[in-house]
């Protein structure tokens, strides 16, 4: 299952270098409600909103938290028994990126209502979710909540095996380094 926190950006989707201010006039709370409603209206299920904001008990991101440095949002859900993923990081606020995804789904639902339903199926084929990326904990091989010493020890042990000088690959080592960086960022 895709994790909602921290952000699980879809593999292979490019990131926006410099997010900009949107003209949306909505709060994060309203954007979340709008998204949940649009996915429901479309017939989607198992909604996961993945961001770098901690989660409430209902699984949605807190709306009253400070904006994290990474404003990206990835929305995972099932549509007609297929996993889907919409991702947006164009805007400089989490709520605006959530709202943009809600409006995109609303527009796709409109296409379906206007009688061009086959276009919706074609459009959705581009949003089929790839397997969710592994969590940094899983990549390094430590349980959630492991101490920084445990993380570092596990990292070093794995690095010995994955480094290109010892028969590993540059890609595997890059993934391991990125996981360690992500865990360090979370600890800070």
């Amino acid at each position: 299952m895709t994790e909602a926190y921290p952000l699980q950006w879809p593999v292979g989707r490019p990131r926006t270098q410099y997010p900009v201010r949107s003209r949306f006039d909505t709060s994060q709370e309203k954007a979340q409600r709008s998204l949940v409603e649009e996915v429901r209206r479309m017939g989607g299920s198992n909604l996961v909103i993945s961001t770098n904001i901690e989660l409430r008990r209902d699984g949605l991101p807190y709306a009253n938290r400070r904006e994290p440095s990474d404003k990206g949002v990835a929305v995972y859900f099932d549509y007609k028994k297929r996993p889907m993923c919409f991702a947006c990081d164009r805007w400089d606020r989490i709520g605006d990126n959530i709202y943009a995804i809600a409006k995109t789904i609303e527009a796709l639902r409109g296409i379906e209502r206007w009688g061009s339903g086959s276009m919706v199926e074609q459009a959705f084929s581009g949003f089929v979710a790839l397997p969710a990326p592994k969590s940094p904990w899983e990549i390094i091989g430590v349980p959630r909540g492991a101490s920084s010493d445990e993380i570092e020890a596990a990292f070093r042990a794995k690095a010995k095996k994955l480094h290109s000088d010892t028969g590993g690959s540059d890609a595997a080592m890059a993934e391991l380094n990125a996981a360690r960086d992500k865990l360090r960022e979370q600890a800070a």
Side-chain angles (χ1 to χ4, degrees), residues 50-61:
S50 183
T51 70
N52 279 325
I53 296 179
E54 300 86 19
L55 304 177
R56 305 182 315 202
R57 286 185 181 170
D58 65 0
L60 295 176

Side-chain angles (χ1 to χ4, degrees), residues 2-174:
T2 302
E3 292 186 33
Y5 174 79
L7 173 63
Q8 299 295 307
W9 191 259
V11 176
R13 298 264 171 97
R15 298 298 306 262
T16 300
Q17 192 75 23
Y18 302 104
V20 296
R21 176 77 53 187
S22 80
R23 294 184 183 259
F24 299 138
D25 186 24
T26 189
S27 67
Q28 182 179 321
E29 185 68 32
K30 287 179 185 174
Q32 287 175 183
R33 281 196 307 264
S34 177
L35 176 63
V36 168
E37 187 60 22
E38 288 302 327
V39 171
R40 185 197 62 75
R41 285 179 182 148
M42 189 180 55
S45 60
N46 302 321
L47 175 67
V48 174
I49 302 174
S50 183
T51 70
N52 279 325
I53 296 179
E54 300 86 19
L55 304 177
R56 305 182 315 202
R57 286 185 181 170
D58 65 0
L60 295 176
Y62 279 105
N64 61 353
R65 295 295 195 262
R66 199 175 101 238
E67 288 279 335
S69 59
D70 185 347
K71 315 292 196 251
V73 174
V75 175
Y76 295 86
F77 60 93
D78 294 331
Y79 175 70
K80 294 187 178 180
K81 298 184 180 181
R82 292 186 308 182
M84 297 289 151
C85 179
F86 285 69
C88 185
D89 65 350
R90 179 177 180 188
W91 309 111
D92 66 353
R93 291 183 4 187
I94 295 275
D96 292 342
N97 286 315
I98 292 171
Y99 193 66
I101 294 170
K103 296 305 276 181
T104 301
I105 292 172
E106 178 184 24
L108 288 169
R109 285 188 333 94
I111 291 169
E112 193 169 50
R113 286 191 312 271
W114 302 320
S116 304
S118 65
M119 282 190 235
V120 172
E121 289 300 317
Q122 291 169 352
F124 269 120
S125 68
F127 295 108
V128 171
L130 297 170
K134 294 178 187 174
S135 75
W137 303 99
E138 187 178 356
I139 293 167
I140 291 181
V142 294
R144 281 191 177 277
S147 70
S148 51
D149 291 339
E150 292 170 320
I151 292 169
E152 195 61 32
F155 169 83
R156 289 178 191 274
K158 260 202 164 169
K160 287 180 184 176
K161 296 175 188 171
L162 297 179
H163 198 276
S164 58
D165 292 345
T166 59
S169 70
D170 290 337
M173 197 61 206

